[in-house]
Amino acid sequence: MFRAFFCLGFCCMAAVGIARGPAADTLSRPNVFLVTIDTLRADHVHCYGYGPIKTPSLDKLAKEGIRFAQAFTPSPITNASHTSILTGLLPSSHGVSDFGIPLTGGHATLAGELKKQGYETAAFIGAVVLDSKQLAPGLDRGFQFYDNFPEHAEGKSRWGRIERRGMDVAQRAEKWLSSQRAGPYFVWMHLYDPHDPYEPPAPYSEEYKGRLYDGEIAYADSALGHVIDFLKQKNLYDNSLIIVVGDHGEGLGEHKEDTHGIFLYDSTTHVPLILKLANGREAGKEVEAQVRTIDIMPTILDLLRFSAPAKLDGASLAPLLSGTETTSRIALGETEYPLRFGWAPLRSIRSDGLKFIEAPSPELYDLNQDAGELRNTYAPWDKRVQKLRRTLTESIPASRSREKSSVLASTVDELHALGYLGPTDALSSTDVPEPSLLPDPKNKIEEQNLLHIAMMSSEDSRLPEARLELKKLLAMDNTSVTALAQLARIEMTSGNVSEAAGYFRQAYKLRPEDPTIVLEYSEALERNGDLQSAREVLETSLKSHPNQFAAHLQLGRIYFQSNDVKSALVEFETAQLLEPDNVEVTMDVARALVAQGNFTDAVELLGQVINSPAIKPEAAQLLATACAKLSRKTGATGADLRAMAICKSKKSR
């Protein structure tokens, strides 16, 4: 089917600006520029009929290319939606349904396929959620250059730490292109700006005052225009395939969803998709048939006359361009993000003017009569429901094994700063045999909105506002462990340790098996001076889950504070067995050995790690003390010098 478009002859091959025959010079191949604009609703773009906004770059690209009126993403979450774009697979196929879940090597990527064909490949991302070293492992496969965020960003500003402005992303891509040899190139640029919080720079902040989401879109459009101007200046524009697509939309209060991730309504799944062919072919064409973002990868490979991987969920759009096909494709949707809150995941199918959403309370909408999806006409005996449900079940099984997300604690903080929950925020609530038995997200969405506002307020240090929203949430549901934990963290940050311990106590009673709650509760108790209760909480948790490194380390420190050095050493050594290369726990073991008077073993242990870049000045000072006790004057002097060097290094950073 993918080859059908090119069987029409040379004329159609010229439409994409490529030479005939397999031996064509790579320089004659079209460059490929993929621009994904985060959180972009189709109905907030001017060329899609939205009058109150100016998007001249998107409008001009649509005039010089092909505009797909009905394009849909399979996921309303950034990681899953982008992985689908870059693999041509549904989230249930590629497995990236959560932050931190790696894209496995068994799945081909667009970058990898083009790299094999001689393309220079590079990616430039606008948010840390797509950082391949942190929250999107494996997404960099096939890219020769992937512009990740710095591991240790300076300053507390979100810009450069967790997000980049669209113009920054554009200029990074342009700098890379200017430094490269002749192409062809495949460059992916990710513009994150329309994602909340909506903070467009001037003049868009003034021009769109009161409509800051639109202001962010207008600003992202200007960044896109900067890239297009650059390509024209470098004579790269004409002989290029340019694809601009939204990864997902934004709720904006529709169906009571302020942002995205929870629901599968068109507000968060209908996205703009514009394709400019090489040499301006098919300029101004509009395609009304329903298509999917999973069709992008097979389309690019087809237009370039490269073979597509055997197993793809998407299909080439080339037949729609040639007119040999006019049929709409079935659009599937899925979101597991509600599991973060302890709510049921959702699946959907959009076909033949109907939308069916599988949920604890299922939904059916006749889109021809009810484009806003406001009148649920679901009935289990409805033949349309039965047909759609059967197709949906065959395409996306309701029960399947789910990969566990692995995200560092520091990275969870970054997720919170972007308004997302971390993988452990609702861990035990999701551990149920049948997800459909969980609450329906429709009945919980207002809680999610309040939690989102609270997290963003915390990120901006507006703690009174964050407290207010969380207390509103608890008034609606006093069993919300997530709200209790977030409120406790705010009080810990504010130095109100006693209040924090109280909120953690409530969360702990509701979820005593959650290791994250246990750890934070014990820390609050410790800081509040209740060492005995802190110890008991950790000991109880370790009886059920003995392989918790952080819990053993924290319990050891509590024992040490209580002058029970023998028990502390047991816990430290257990933690060391779990993470042998952890320098922090090595220091604790050495500290306990020194306290016991075992200076020989302490010196030997510290000597193994004293030159580690992760070592703290206290380690060298501890070594100096141990050496002195053993009357090793030379060693003591050397350790003292090392301590001073480390201190000086720390101060200069």
Side-chain angles (χ1 to χ4, degrees), residues 8-9 28 34 45 48 100 320 340 370 483 512 539-541 621:
L8 298 177
S28 67
L34 171 64
V45 177
Y48 278 78
L320 290 172
R340 292 286 182 87
D370 179 22
E539 288 172 341
T540 300
S541 179
Q621 293 164 353

Side-chain angles (χ1 to χ4, degrees), residues 28-312:
S28 67
R29 293 175 177 171
N31 302 299
V32 180
F33 295 99
L34 171 64
V35 181
T36 58
I37 304 180
D38 215 291
T39 324
L40 180 59
R41 286 175 61 135
D43 60 2
H44 274 250
V45 177
H46 188 270
C47 62
Y48 278 78
Y50 185 59
I53 197 170
K54 298 175 184 176
T55 51
S57 303
L58 287 165
D59 298 351
K60 193 170 190 303
L61 203 63
K63 288 181 180 179
E64 297 178 355
I66 302 133
R67 184 178 72 88
F68 293 87
Q70 298 291 320
F72 291 86
T73 179
S75 172
I77 283 288
T78 298
N79 285 47
S81 61
H82 276 91
T83 306
S84 288
I85 290 169
L86 293 168
T87 63
L89 298 171
L90 293 166
S92 50
S93 296
H94 59 61
V96 181
S97 59
D98 201 348
F99 301 108
I101 293 179
L103 174 64
T104 63
H107 301 305
T109 66
L110 178 58
E113 295 301 299
L114 294 181
K115 181 183 176 184
K116 287 192 294 187
Q117 298 293 338
Y119 276 71
E120 301 292 315
T121 58
F124 301 87
I125 58 172
V128 75
V129 288
L130 294 179
D131 191 302
S132 67
K133 292 182 178 179
Q134 299 185 57
L135 291 165
L139 204 60
D140 58 348
R141 203 169 65 251
F143 286 105
Q144 294 160 303
F145 178 77
Y146 197 97
D147 195 17
N148 281 316
F149 280 65
E151 187 175 349
H152 301 291
E154 297 181 2
K156 294 185 177 180
S157 171
R158 68 186 300 108
W159 308 112
R161 177 172 64 90
I162 58 175
E163 184 178 351
R164 291 172 180 146
R165 293 275 195 198
M167 202 63 74
D168 184 11
V169 174
Q171 291 172 348
R172 286 169 174 268
E174 292 164 9
K175 181 179 179 181
W176 181 87
L177 281 164
S178 297
S179 68
Q180 299 304 301
R181 62 176 179 81
Y185 309 109
F186 168 53
V187 176
W188 165 38
M189 285 167 276
H190 166 238
L191 307 181
Y192 190 71
D193 303 276
H195 196 287
D196 83 310
Y198 314 130
E199 298 173 351
Y204 305 96
S205 55
E206 291 300 319
E207 185 177 353
Y208 293 92
K209 195 172 185 178
R211 294 188 295 119
L212 295 179
Y213 172 67
D214 288 350
E216 291 276 35
I217 294 172
Y219 169 70
D221 183 84
S222 72
L224 172 64
H226 196 279
V227 172
I228 290 174
D229 289 343
F230 173 85
L231 296 179
K232 289 180 177 179
Q233 292 168 9
K234 296 292 184 179
N235 296 318
L236 295 172
Y237 182 78
D238 289 339
N239 187 38
S240 291
L241 288 173
I242 300 177
I243 307 95
V244 180
V245 63
D247 73 326
H248 57 71
E250 187 78 316
L252 300 180
E254 292 186 25
H255 304 278
K256 298 183 180 180
E257 184 177 30
D258 288 346
T259 55
H260 58 272
I262 302 296
F263 292 149
L264 294 172
Y265 301 113
D266 284 4
S267 53
T268 58
T269 60
H270 183 202
V271 296
L273 172 59
I274 299 170
L275 169 64
K276 186 203 80 71
L277 298 177
N279 300 317
R281 305 297 181 180
E282 303 291 344
K285 187 180 183 69
E286 294 187 3
V287 175
E288 293 294 331
Q290 180 172 285
V291 300
R292 302 79 53 93
T293 59
I294 56 173
D295 297 328
I296 290 173
M297 175 178 173
T299 299
I300 292 172
L301 296 176
D302 196 2
L303 294 176
L304 297 175
R305 302 178 69 198
F306 300 148
S307 297
K311 294 182 179 180
L312 292 181

